[in-house]
Amino acid sequence: MYAQEVKSTGKGVLSLEEMDPVERAFQEKVNAGVKIEPKDWMPEGYRKTLIRQISQHAHSEIVGQLPEGNWITRAPTLERKAILIAKVQDEAGHGLYLYCAAETLGVSRDQMTEQLLSGKAKYSSIFNYPTLTWADIGAIGWLVDGAAIMNQVPLQRCSFGPYSRAMIRVCKEESFHQRQGYDIMMKLCAGTLDQKAMAQDALDRWWWPSLMMFGPSDAQSVHSAQSLAWKIKQDTNDELRQKFVDQTVPQAKYLGLSVPDPDLKWNEEKGGHDFGEVDWEEFFQVVSGNGPCNADRMAARRKAWSDGEWFRDALMAHAEKHSADKVAAE
Amino acid sequence: MADNPTVEFALRMGDNCLVLGQNVSAWCGHAPVLEEDIALANVALDLIGQTRMWLGLAGELEGKGRSADDLAFLRDVREFRNCLLVEQPNSDFGQTLMRQFLFDAWHHPMLKMLSGAADARVAEIAEKSVKEAAYHLDRSTDLIIRLGDGSDESHHRMQGALDRLWRYSGELMAADAIDEAVVGPGLGDIEAQYKDYTSKVFGEATLTIPEAAFMQKGGKVGLHTEALGHMLADMQFLQRSYPGAQW
Ligand SMILES: [Fe+2]
Ligand SMILES: [Fe+2]
């Protein structure tokens, strides 16, 4: 998802009996659904896992401004332009709430930014794909925000209080994001032949990367168990992916678009769709920096940060000068 | 168009908002800090919202069945009526903020005056926009002061931005018969307020207004700088490439 590659401690999950009394008390609190707050005792692994997950999530929101921002100046009507600006602005706001939530765990925003810009920290693979046509803006809202909602709704119940509360605020805005995306797709599909072809092409290109957003299959994901026990995570990657496919396929049908998966079919017995295997080789390449836009995305963020340095320094310089004035006046 | 000055006037107001909003919106995701990304998006949103009202009014009064979108996306450079200031490229963040300040310092008193305009529909749009403009002016004033009186580098950049952009400020105040017909006799007050306000703020910001600058003008009658054509090529791309399509 927005934090696809979160590694927790790697140790197996301990049973309550194996834990020392402090850790057992912590785990019992988690089990009882009591929120963990920043000042409470927590295992080091829990803190580290959360810092990684929340900061990856924040970085994804920040980098996620870029592919959609790419179309703000070219949005086709004044209303679409306003909606898209508001949407990208929401994503920046999500980044802000999430950085704040991570800061409660003892890491600063500057440190996290440094980790992103140095390439040490990851962000969601989905934002390393290019937005080539206006239909991509529709497809992102529909599919990418749709997948984000699927992931974030259960995170509202995450055991860590600040993360859970940030997710509650974020989820309120996400449904608007998905609706505006689907609305763009509906308009295109009801439009000219060119527009409909544009919509189909966007679905063809964004479908598989959207499924990759849920992260590797559970069989390959060694860290799920501990995160589930800590209630940092509520559902497995495969469960969420299945839910997403089941929700999205009828929406594609309603648009009159076809999902680019020859293996996709309804399975009556399991009450869900069977679908083809994600190209995990592509996923790992994108995550490790070889997606079509990784270099561009990082370059854009680095440029924004380094071009903005004089601005940030100047505000500090002004504040220092004037706090000195105040002290002198006293 | 000449028979109804309000059409031309609404185009000027709307095109100012559209061109500035378009420029500002290009910062989304590229600003120096996250808080600025969010703040600039707010400003752009306000301006695009105001564009829709002004161009909507212009299209309606013109009576040729053109919508705000038609006016925004299907006119060529020579038909745009914005002042030259707002079409100046973003360049660095300092130039962007200076452009905003020089505009806001005019826009806010202008809208305040228009709230009492004889034409009720002009007054209504002005009234809806004036609070937003007041917020924009507060924000840009604060940043101009802090950056002008910040570090050596920021002072230098802001002075450079003022030197470059001041020449476009005169056009805002250069009233013609159209402005006079719609705004009425108060136009001179706006100019006085502008001079007062900007010299006070630049004083606090330790910036110097360039002396004897030759004021550029032409935007109001469709004589623009080269930057506008490039902006329109970008902004109008979809509407031009797929004529008649609905989005
Ligand atoms: Fe988001
Ligand atoms: Fe979103």
PDB file of all heavy atoms in Angstrom, chain A residues 73-74 76 78 80-82 89 109 195 301 310 312 314 318 321-322, chain B residues 22 29 32 35 38 42 45 69 149-150 154 157 234-235 239 246-247:
ATOM      1  N   THR A  73      -2.084  22.335 -14.649  1.00  0.00           N
ATOM      2  CA  THR A  73      -2.083  23.460 -15.593  1.00  0.00           C
ATOM      3  C   THR A  73      -2.795  23.105 -16.907  1.00  0.00           C
ATOM      4  O   THR A  73      -3.097  23.992 -17.686  1.00  0.00           O
ATOM      5  CB  THR A  73      -0.651  23.942 -15.917  1.00  0.00           C
ATOM      6  OG1 THR A  73       0.071  22.882 -16.536  1.00  0.00           O
ATOM      7  CG2 THR A  73       0.076  24.410 -14.664  1.00  0.00           C
ATOM      8  N   ARG A  74      -3.033  21.824 -17.134  1.00  0.00           N
ATOM      9  CA  ARG A  74      -3.691  21.421 -18.383  1.00  0.00           C
ATOM     10  C   ARG A  74      -5.110  20.884 -18.181  1.00  0.00           C
ATOM     11  O   ARG A  74      -5.697  20.323 -19.113  1.00  0.00           O
ATOM     12  CB  ARG A  74      -2.842  20.357 -19.097  1.00  0.00           C
ATOM     13  CG  ARG A  74      -1.550  20.919 -19.656  1.00  0.00           C
ATOM     14  CD  ARG A  74      -0.717  19.829 -20.297  1.00  0.00           C
ATOM     15  NE  ARG A  74      -0.176  18.925 -19.279  1.00  0.00           N
ATOM     16  CZ  ARG A  74       0.441  17.771 -19.564  1.00  0.00           C
ATOM     17  NH1 ARG A  74       0.578  17.385 -20.828  1.00  0.00           N
ATOM     18  NH2 ARG A  74       0.915  17.020 -18.584  1.00  0.00           N
ATOM     19  N   PRO A  76      -8.939  20.408 -18.257  1.00  0.00           N
ATOM     20  CA  PRO A  76      -9.697  20.876 -19.421  1.00  0.00           C
ATOM     21  C   PRO A  76     -10.772  21.924 -19.154  1.00  0.00           C
ATOM     22  O   PRO A  76     -11.234  22.558 -20.098  1.00  0.00           O
ATOM     23  CB  PRO A  76     -10.334  19.590 -19.955  1.00  0.00           C
ATOM     24  CG  PRO A  76     -10.423  18.694 -18.767  1.00  0.00           C
ATOM     25  CD  PRO A  76      -9.248  19.021 -17.911  1.00  0.00           C
ATOM     26  N   LEU A  78     -12.402  24.941 -16.049  1.00  0.00           N
ATOM     27  CA  LEU A  78     -12.081  25.640 -14.802  1.00  0.00           C
ATOM     28  C   LEU A  78     -12.509  24.819 -13.590  1.00  0.00           C
ATOM     29  O   LEU A  78     -11.817  24.770 -12.581  1.00  0.00           O
ATOM     30  CB  LEU A  78     -12.754  27.015 -14.786  1.00  0.00           C
ATOM     31  CG  LEU A  78     -12.233  27.992 -15.858  1.00  0.00           C
ATOM     32  CD1 LEU A  78     -13.114  29.236 -15.920  1.00  0.00           C
ATOM     33  CD2 LEU A  78     -10.775  28.377 -15.590  1.00  0.00           C
ATOM     34  N   ARG A  80     -12.780  21.463 -13.397  1.00  0.00           N
ATOM     35  CA  ARG A  80     -11.840  20.345 -13.223  1.00  0.00           C
ATOM     36  C   ARG A  80     -10.519  20.829 -12.635  1.00  0.00           C
ATOM     37  O   ARG A  80      -9.884  20.141 -11.840  1.00  0.00           O
ATOM     38  CB  ARG A  80     -11.566  19.654 -14.561  1.00  0.00           C
ATOM     39  CG  ARG A  80     -12.738  18.892 -15.136  1.00  0.00           C
ATOM     40  CD  ARG A  80     -12.996  17.599 -14.392  1.00  0.00           C
ATOM     41  NE  ARG A  80     -14.105  16.871 -14.997  1.00  0.00           N
ATOM     42  CZ  ARG A  80     -14.899  16.035 -14.326  1.00  0.00           C
ATOM     43  NH1 ARG A  80     -14.722  15.822 -13.031  1.00  0.00           N
ATOM     44  NH2 ARG A  80     -15.871  15.409 -14.941  1.00  0.00           N
ATOM     45  N   LYS A  81     -10.104  21.996 -13.067  1.00  0.00           N
ATOM     46  CA  LYS A  81      -8.850  22.540 -12.542  1.00  0.00           C
ATOM     47  C   LYS A  81      -8.976  22.775 -11.032  1.00  0.00           C
ATOM     48  O   LYS A  81      -8.104  22.380 -10.256  1.00  0.00           O
ATOM     49  CB  LYS A  81      -8.506  23.856 -13.262  1.00  0.00           C
ATOM     50  CG  LYS A  81      -7.099  24.380 -12.971  1.00  0.00           C
ATOM     51  CD  LYS A  81      -6.835  25.750 -13.589  1.00  0.00           C
ATOM     52  CE  LYS A  81      -6.818  25.761 -15.098  1.00  0.00           C
ATOM     53  NZ  LYS A  81      -5.658  25.039 -15.672  1.00  0.00           N
ATOM     54  N   ALA A  82     -10.082  23.390 -10.635  1.00  0.00           N
ATOM     55  CA  ALA A  82     -10.278  23.677  -9.209  1.00  0.00           C
ATOM     56  C   ALA A  82     -10.337  22.370  -8.410  1.00  0.00           C
ATOM     57  O   ALA A  82      -9.719  22.249  -7.347  1.00  0.00           O
ATOM     58  CB  ALA A  82     -11.555  24.488  -9.012  1.00  0.00           C
ATOM     59  N   GLN A  89      -3.985  19.393  -3.102  1.00  0.00           N
ATOM     60  CA  GLN A  89      -3.791  20.087  -1.827  1.00  0.00           C
ATOM     61  C   GLN A  89      -4.134  19.176  -0.644  1.00  0.00           C
ATOM     62  O   GLN A  89      -3.418  19.158   0.357  1.00  0.00           O
ATOM     63  CB  GLN A  89      -4.674  21.336  -1.796  1.00  0.00           C
ATOM     64  CG  GLN A  89      -4.484  22.166  -0.533  1.00  0.00           C
ATOM     65  CD  GLN A  89      -5.541  23.247  -0.420  1.00  0.00           C
ATOM     66  OE1 GLN A  89      -6.697  23.043  -0.767  1.00  0.00           O
ATOM     67  NE2 GLN A  89      -5.145  24.409   0.055  1.00  0.00           N
ATOM     68  N   ARG A 109      10.550  15.972  11.186  1.00  0.00           N
ATOM     69  CA  ARG A 109      10.143  16.058   9.786  1.00  0.00           C
ATOM     70  C   ARG A 109      11.375  16.235   8.890  1.00  0.00           C
ATOM     71  O   ARG A 109      11.449  15.665   7.810  1.00  0.00           O
ATOM     72  CB  ARG A 109       9.161  17.212   9.574  1.00  0.00           C
ATOM     73  CG  ARG A 109       8.247  16.956   8.384  1.00  0.00           C
ATOM     74  CD  ARG A 109       7.815  18.206   7.647  1.00  0.00           C
ATOM     75  NE  ARG A 109       6.936  19.050   8.443  1.00  0.00           N
ATOM     76  CZ  ARG A 109       6.381  20.155   7.954  1.00  0.00           C
ATOM     77  NH1 ARG A 109       6.581  20.510   6.701  1.00  0.00           N
ATOM     78  NH2 ARG A 109       5.634  20.914   8.721  1.00  0.00           N
ATOM     79  N   GLN A 195     -12.153  10.011 -26.592  1.00  0.00           N
ATOM     80  CA  GLN A 195     -12.168  10.096 -25.128  1.00  0.00           C
ATOM     81  C   GLN A 195     -12.321   8.715 -24.499  1.00  0.00           C
ATOM     82  O   GLN A 195     -11.672   8.398 -23.511  1.00  0.00           O
ATOM     83  CB  GLN A 195     -13.296  11.018 -24.659  1.00  0.00           C
ATOM     84  CG  GLN A 195     -12.988  12.494 -24.879  1.00  0.00           C
ATOM     85  CD  GLN A 195     -14.148  13.373 -24.459  1.00  0.00           C
ATOM     86  OE1 GLN A 195     -15.263  13.235 -24.971  1.00  0.00           O
ATOM     87  NE2 GLN A 195     -13.913  14.271 -23.522  1.00  0.00           N
ATOM     88  N   ARG A 301      11.478  16.335  -6.243  1.00  0.00           N
ATOM     89  CA  ARG A 301      11.444  16.614  -4.799  1.00  0.00           C
ATOM     90  C   ARG A 301      12.752  17.245  -4.331  1.00  0.00           C
ATOM     91  O   ARG A 301      12.768  18.143  -3.508  1.00  0.00           O
ATOM     92  CB  ARG A 301      11.150  15.344  -3.989  1.00  0.00           C
ATOM     93  CG  ARG A 301       9.732  14.818  -4.089  1.00  0.00           C
ATOM     94  CD  ARG A 301       8.678  15.876  -3.872  1.00  0.00           C
ATOM     95  NE  ARG A 301       8.847  16.593  -2.615  1.00  0.00           N
ATOM     96  CZ  ARG A 301       8.291  17.774  -2.338  1.00  0.00           C
ATOM     97  NH1 ARG A 301       7.527  18.375  -3.213  1.00  0.00           N
ATOM     98  NH2 ARG A 301       8.510  18.345  -1.173  1.00  0.00           N
ATOM     99  N   TRP A 310      16.909  28.741   0.540  1.00  0.00           N
ATOM    100  CA  TRP A 310      17.075  30.155   0.906  1.00  0.00           C
ATOM    101  C   TRP A 310      15.813  30.700   1.570  1.00  0.00           C
ATOM    102  O   TRP A 310      15.886  31.510   2.481  1.00  0.00           O
ATOM    103  CB  TRP A 310      17.428  30.995  -0.332  1.00  0.00           C
ATOM    104  CG  TRP A 310      16.287  31.161  -1.303  1.00  0.00           C
ATOM    105  CD1 TRP A 310      15.983  30.348  -2.342  1.00  0.00           C
ATOM    106  CD2 TRP A 310      15.282  32.196  -1.300  1.00  0.00           C
ATOM    107  NE1 TRP A 310      14.850  30.795  -3.000  1.00  0.00           N
ATOM    108  CE2 TRP A 310      14.410  31.937  -2.379  1.00  0.00           C
ATOM    109  CE3 TRP A 310      15.048  33.315  -0.489  1.00  0.00           C
ATOM    110  CZ2 TRP A 310      13.312  32.743  -2.678  1.00  0.00           C
ATOM    111  CZ3 TRP A 310      13.950  34.126  -0.795  1.00  0.00           C
ATOM    112  CH2 TRP A 310      13.092  33.833  -1.881  1.00  0.00           C
ATOM    113  N   ARG A 312      13.530  28.944   3.359  1.00  0.00           N
ATOM    114  CA  ARG A 312      13.414  28.432   4.736  1.00  0.00           C
ATOM    115  C   ARG A 312      14.435  29.104   5.641  1.00  0.00           C
ATOM    116  O   ARG A 312      14.116  29.500   6.768  1.00  0.00           O
ATOM    117  CB  ARG A 312      13.598  26.903   4.739  1.00  0.00           C
ATOM    118  CG  ARG A 312      12.544  26.153   3.923  1.00  0.00           C
ATOM    119  CD  ARG A 312      12.635  24.642   4.129  1.00  0.00           C
ATOM    120  NE  ARG A 312      13.934  24.097   3.766  1.00  0.00           N
ATOM    121  CZ  ARG A 312      14.286  23.720   2.530  1.00  0.00           C
ATOM    122  NH1 ARG A 312      13.428  23.830   1.537  1.00  0.00           N
ATOM    123  NH2 ARG A 312      15.486  23.239   2.284  1.00  0.00           N
ATOM    124  N   ALA A 314      15.713  32.043   5.291  1.00  0.00           N
ATOM    125  CA  ALA A 314      15.375  33.451   5.493  1.00  0.00           C
ATOM    126  C   ALA A 314      14.322  33.618   6.585  1.00  0.00           C
ATOM    127  O   ALA A 314      14.397  34.544   7.392  1.00  0.00           O
ATOM    128  CB  ALA A 314      14.862  34.058   4.185  1.00  0.00           C
ATOM    129  N   HIS A 318      14.932  35.799   9.851  1.00  0.00           N
ATOM    130  CA  HIS A 318      14.035  36.885  10.263  1.00  0.00           C
ATOM    131  C   HIS A 318      13.571  36.679  11.696  1.00  0.00           C
ATOM    132  O   HIS A 318      13.595  37.609  12.515  1.00  0.00           O
ATOM    133  CB  HIS A 318      12.828  36.966   9.328  1.00  0.00           C
ATOM    134  CG  HIS A 318      11.860  38.046   9.703  1.00  0.00           C
ATOM    135  ND1 HIS A 318      12.012  39.348   9.311  1.00  0.00           N
ATOM    136  CD2 HIS A 318      10.745  38.019  10.491  1.00  0.00           C
ATOM    137  CE1 HIS A 318      11.034  40.085   9.818  1.00  0.00           C
ATOM    138  NE2 HIS A 318      10.250  39.295  10.529  1.00  0.00           N
ATOM    139  N   LYS A 321      16.469  37.421  14.116  1.00  0.00           N
ATOM    140  CA  LYS A 321      16.693  38.866  14.225  1.00  0.00           C
ATOM    141  C   LYS A 321      15.679  39.494  15.149  1.00  0.00           C
ATOM    142  O   LYS A 321      16.009  40.295  16.005  1.00  0.00           O
ATOM    143  CB  LYS A 321      16.476  39.510  12.850  1.00  0.00           C
ATOM    144  CG  LYS A 321      17.727  39.912  12.130  1.00  0.00           C
ATOM    145  CD  LYS A 321      17.329  40.738  10.918  1.00  0.00           C
ATOM    146  CE  LYS A 321      18.083  40.290   9.694  1.00  0.00           C
ATOM    147  NZ  LYS A 321      17.707  41.047   8.499  1.00  0.00           N
ATOM    148  N   HIS A 322      14.415  39.112  14.937  1.00  0.00           N
ATOM    149  CA  HIS A 322      13.369  39.827  15.652  1.00  0.00           C
ATOM    150  C   HIS A 322      13.144  39.315  17.043  1.00  0.00           C
ATOM    151  O   HIS A 322      12.663  40.061  17.894  1.00  0.00           O
ATOM    152  CB  HIS A 322      12.112  39.915  14.792  1.00  0.00           C
ATOM    153  CG  HIS A 322      12.361  40.848  13.640  1.00  0.00           C
ATOM    154  ND1 HIS A 322      12.110  42.179  13.716  1.00  0.00           N
ATOM    155  CD2 HIS A 322      12.970  40.636  12.431  1.00  0.00           C
ATOM    156  CE1 HIS A 322      12.511  42.763  12.581  1.00  0.00           C
ATOM    157  NE2 HIS A 322      13.031  41.839  11.789  1.00  0.00           N
TER     158      HIS A 322
ATOM    159  N   GLN B  22      -3.509  30.358 -12.628  1.00  0.00           N
ATOM    160  CA  GLN B  22      -2.838  29.331 -13.429  1.00  0.00           C
ATOM    161  C   GLN B  22      -1.349  29.270 -13.079  1.00  0.00           C
ATOM    162  O   GLN B  22      -0.792  28.197 -12.859  1.00  0.00           O
ATOM    163  CB  GLN B  22      -3.050  29.659 -14.910  1.00  0.00           C
ATOM    164  CG  GLN B  22      -2.261  28.813 -15.891  1.00  0.00           C
ATOM    165  CD  GLN B  22      -2.858  27.431 -16.116  1.00  0.00           C
ATOM    166  OE1 GLN B  22      -3.898  27.085 -15.560  1.00  0.00           O
ATOM    167  NE2 GLN B  22      -2.184  26.625 -16.904  1.00  0.00           N
ATOM    168  N   GLY B  29       3.165  20.964  -5.248  1.00  0.00           N
ATOM    169  CA  GLY B  29       4.118  19.856  -5.181  1.00  0.00           C
ATOM    170  C   GLY B  29       5.563  20.285  -5.333  1.00  0.00           C
ATOM    171  O   GLY B  29       6.463  19.460  -5.221  1.00  0.00           O
ATOM    172  N   PRO B  32       8.784  25.371  -1.458  1.00  0.00           N
ATOM    173  CA  PRO B  32       9.910  25.165  -0.546  1.00  0.00           C
ATOM    174  C   PRO B  32       9.575  24.413   0.743  1.00  0.00           C
ATOM    175  O   PRO B  32      10.459  23.805   1.328  1.00  0.00           O
ATOM    176  CB  PRO B  32      10.355  26.583  -0.176  1.00  0.00           C
ATOM    177  CG  PRO B  32       9.763  27.481  -1.191  1.00  0.00           C
ATOM    178  CD  PRO B  32       8.535  26.812  -1.706  1.00  0.00           C
ATOM    179  N   GLU B  35       3.880  23.544   3.961  1.00  0.00           N
ATOM    180  CA  GLU B  35       2.877  24.552   4.309  1.00  0.00           C
ATOM    181  C   GLU B  35       2.667  25.530   3.145  1.00  0.00           C
ATOM    182  O   GLU B  35       1.569  26.051   2.965  1.00  0.00           O
ATOM    183  CB  GLU B  35       3.301  25.330   5.562  1.00  0.00           C
ATOM    184  CG  GLU B  35       3.136  24.556   6.874  1.00  0.00           C
ATOM    185  CD  GLU B  35       4.257  23.556   7.157  1.00  0.00           C
ATOM    186  OE1 GLU B  35       5.136  23.352   6.281  1.00  0.00           O
ATOM    187  OE2 GLU B  35       4.251  22.976   8.260  1.00  0.00           O
ATOM    188  N   ILE B  38       0.464  24.024   0.447  1.00  0.00           N
ATOM    189  CA  ILE B  38      -0.946  24.099   0.827  1.00  0.00           C
ATOM    190  C   ILE B  38      -1.471  25.526   0.674  1.00  0.00           C
ATOM    191  O   ILE B  38      -2.551  25.755   0.126  1.00  0.00           O
ATOM    192  CB  ILE B  38      -1.129  23.574   2.275  1.00  0.00           C
ATOM    193  CG1 ILE B  38      -0.789  22.073   2.294  1.00  0.00           C
ATOM    194  CG2 ILE B  38      -2.526  23.828   2.783  1.00  0.00           C
ATOM    195  CD1 ILE B  38      -0.726  21.450   3.680  1.00  0.00           C
ATOM    196  N   ASN B  42      -4.340  27.119  -1.933  1.00  0.00           N
ATOM    197  CA  ASN B  42      -5.491  27.920  -1.496  1.00  0.00           C
ATOM    198  C   ASN B  42      -5.659  29.171  -2.331  1.00  0.00           C
ATOM    199  O   ASN B  42      -6.763  29.512  -2.755  1.00  0.00           O
ATOM    200  CB  ASN B  42      -5.284  28.392  -0.051  1.00  0.00           C
ATOM    201  CG  ASN B  42      -6.036  27.527   0.916  1.00  0.00           C
ATOM    202  OD1 ASN B  42      -7.056  26.955   0.574  1.00  0.00           O
ATOM    203  ND2 ASN B  42      -5.525  27.436   2.126  1.00  0.00           N
ATOM    204  N   LEU B  45      -6.834  28.302  -5.770  1.00  0.00           N
ATOM    205  CA  LEU B  45      -8.258  27.920  -5.759  1.00  0.00           C
ATOM    206  C   LEU B  45      -9.168  29.133  -5.681  1.00  0.00           C
ATOM    207  O   LEU B  45     -10.177  29.216  -6.395  1.00  0.00           O
ATOM    208  CB  LEU B  45      -8.533  27.027  -4.546  1.00  0.00           C
ATOM    209  CG  LEU B  45      -8.293  25.552  -4.729  1.00  0.00           C
ATOM    210  CD1 LEU B  45      -8.440  24.827  -3.390  1.00  0.00           C
ATOM    211  CD2 LEU B  45      -9.282  24.979  -5.747  1.00  0.00           C
ATOM    212  N   ASP B  69     -15.765  28.796 -19.470  1.00  0.00           N
ATOM    213  CA  ASP B  69     -14.768  27.881 -20.046  1.00  0.00           C
ATOM    214  C   ASP B  69     -14.419  28.248 -21.486  1.00  0.00           C
ATOM    215  O   ASP B  69     -13.257  28.201 -21.879  1.00  0.00           O
ATOM    216  CB  ASP B  69     -15.268  26.436 -19.991  1.00  0.00           C
ATOM    217  CG  ASP B  69     -15.118  25.834 -18.590  1.00  0.00           C
ATOM    218  OD1 ASP B  69     -14.241  26.290 -17.836  1.00  0.00           O
ATOM    219  OD2 ASP B  69     -15.887  24.908 -18.265  1.00  0.00           O
ATOM    220  N   ASP B 149      13.525  41.416   4.896  1.00  0.00           N
ATOM    221  CA  ASP B 149      14.319  41.616   6.103  1.00  0.00           C
ATOM    222  C   ASP B 149      14.666  40.254   6.710  1.00  0.00           C
ATOM    223  O   ASP B 149      14.445  40.018   7.887  1.00  0.00           O
ATOM    224  CB  ASP B 149      13.491  42.457   7.091  1.00  0.00           C
ATOM    225  CG  ASP B 149      14.269  42.772   8.358  1.00  0.00           C
ATOM    226  OD1 ASP B 149      15.515  42.725   8.326  1.00  0.00           O
ATOM    227  OD2 ASP B 149      13.622  43.047   9.386  1.00  0.00           O
ATOM    228  N   GLY B 150      15.193  39.366   5.887  1.00  0.00           N
ATOM    229  CA  GLY B 150      15.540  38.022   6.362  1.00  0.00           C
ATOM    230  C   GLY B 150      17.040  37.823   6.332  1.00  0.00           C
ATOM    231  O   GLY B 150      17.772  38.474   7.061  1.00  0.00           O
ATOM    232  N   SER B 154      18.099  36.317   0.900  1.00  0.00           N
ATOM    233  CA  SER B 154      16.679  36.561   0.624  1.00  0.00           C
ATOM    234  C   SER B 154      16.453  38.044   0.333  1.00  0.00           C
ATOM    235  O   SER B 154      15.643  38.391  -0.534  1.00  0.00           O
ATOM    236  CB  SER B 154      15.807  36.077   1.778  1.00  0.00           C
ATOM    237  OG  SER B 154      15.940  36.899   2.911  1.00  0.00           O
ATOM    238  N   ARG B 157      17.480  38.570  -3.236  1.00  0.00           N
ATOM    239  CA  ARG B 157      16.501  38.009  -4.180  1.00  0.00           C
ATOM    240  C   ARG B 157      15.238  38.865  -4.252  1.00  0.00           C
ATOM    241  O   ARG B 157      14.691  39.085  -5.336  1.00  0.00           O
ATOM    242  CB  ARG B 157      16.105  36.591  -3.749  1.00  0.00           C
ATOM    243  CG  ARG B 157      17.113  35.522  -4.118  1.00  0.00           C
ATOM    244  CD  ARG B 157      16.610  34.179  -3.594  1.00  0.00           C
ATOM    245  NE  ARG B 157      17.578  33.107  -3.784  1.00  0.00           N
ATOM    246  CZ  ARG B 157      17.513  32.211  -4.777  1.00  0.00           C
ATOM    247  NH1 ARG B 157      16.538  32.252  -5.660  1.00  0.00           N
ATOM    248  NH2 ARG B 157      18.416  31.263  -4.869  1.00  0.00           N
ATOM    249  N   ASP B 234      -0.234  25.630 -23.054  1.00  0.00           N
ATOM    250  CA  ASP B 234      -0.299  24.597 -22.033  1.00  0.00           C
ATOM    251  C   ASP B 234      -1.738  24.460 -21.504  1.00  0.00           C
ATOM    252  O   ASP B 234      -2.330  23.387 -21.533  1.00  0.00           O
ATOM    253  CB  ASP B 234       0.666  25.014 -20.912  1.00  0.00           C
ATOM    254  CG  ASP B 234       0.829  23.962 -19.846  1.00  0.00           C
ATOM    255  OD1 ASP B 234       1.081  22.802 -20.206  1.00  0.00           O
ATOM    256  OD2 ASP B 234       0.729  24.306 -18.655  1.00  0.00           O
ATOM    257  N   MET B 235      -2.288  25.582 -21.103  1.00  0.00           N
ATOM    258  CA  MET B 235      -3.603  25.573 -20.457  1.00  0.00           C
ATOM    259  C   MET B 235      -4.711  25.108 -21.398  1.00  0.00           C
ATOM    260  O   MET B 235      -5.639  24.409 -20.999  1.00  0.00           O
ATOM    261  CB  MET B 235      -3.929  26.983 -19.944  1.00  0.00           C
ATOM    262  CG  MET B 235      -5.226  27.080 -19.191  1.00  0.00           C
ATOM    263  SD  MET B 235      -5.469  28.722 -18.477  1.00  0.00           S
ATOM    264  CE  MET B 235      -6.141  29.608 -19.864  1.00  0.00           C
ATOM    265  N   GLN B 239      -8.667  21.397 -24.773  1.00  0.00           N
ATOM    266  CA  GLN B 239      -9.813  22.003 -25.475  1.00  0.00           C
ATOM    267  C   GLN B 239      -9.499  22.234 -26.956  1.00  0.00           C
ATOM    268  O   GLN B 239     -10.367  22.126 -27.807  1.00  0.00           O
ATOM    269  CB  GLN B 239     -10.176  23.337 -24.816  1.00  0.00           C
ATOM    270  CG  GLN B 239     -10.731  23.197 -23.416  1.00  0.00           C
ATOM    271  CD  GLN B 239     -12.241  22.960 -23.413  1.00  0.00           C
ATOM    272  OE1 GLN B 239     -12.879  22.865 -24.460  1.00  0.00           O
ATOM    273  NE2 GLN B 239     -12.817  22.859 -22.216  1.00  0.00           N
ATOM    274  N   GLN B 246     -16.739  17.155 -24.299  1.00  0.00           N
ATOM    275  CA  GLN B 246     -17.142  17.523 -22.927  1.00  0.00           C
ATOM    276  C   GLN B 246     -16.223  16.824 -21.945  1.00  0.00           C
ATOM    277  O   GLN B 246     -15.862  15.679 -22.150  1.00  0.00           O
ATOM    278  CB  GLN B 246     -18.584  17.072 -22.662  1.00  0.00           C
ATOM    279  CG  GLN B 246     -19.603  17.696 -23.591  1.00  0.00           C
ATOM    280  CD  GLN B 246     -19.682  19.199 -23.396  1.00  0.00           C
ATOM    281  OE1 GLN B 246     -19.903  19.666 -22.296  1.00  0.00           O
ATOM    282  NE2 GLN B 246     -19.464  19.948 -24.480  1.00  0.00           N
ATOM    283  N   TRP B 247     -15.871  17.498 -20.882  1.00  0.00           N
ATOM    284  CA  TRP B 247     -14.907  16.924 -19.944  1.00  0.00           C
ATOM    285  C   TRP B 247     -15.486  16.766 -18.562  1.00  0.00           C
ATOM    286  O   TRP B 247     -14.807  16.615 -17.597  1.00  0.00           O
ATOM    287  CB  TRP B 247     -13.649  17.791 -19.896  1.00  0.00           C
ATOM    288  CG  TRP B 247     -13.046  17.901 -21.254  1.00  0.00           C
ATOM    289  CD1 TRP B 247     -13.262  18.905 -22.165  1.00  0.00           C
ATOM    290  CD2 TRP B 247     -12.145  16.981 -21.894  1.00  0.00           C
ATOM    291  NE1 TRP B 247     -12.562  18.668 -23.315  1.00  0.00           N
ATOM    292  CE2 TRP B 247     -11.863  17.488 -23.176  1.00  0.00           C
ATOM    293  CE3 TRP B 247     -11.553  15.773 -21.492  1.00  0.00           C
ATOM    294  CZ2 TRP B 247     -11.010  16.829 -24.066  1.00  0.00           C
ATOM    295  CZ3 TRP B 247     -10.718  15.129 -22.372  1.00  0.00           C
ATOM    296  CH2 TRP B 247     -10.452  15.652 -23.649  1.00  0.00           C
TER     297      TRP B 247
END
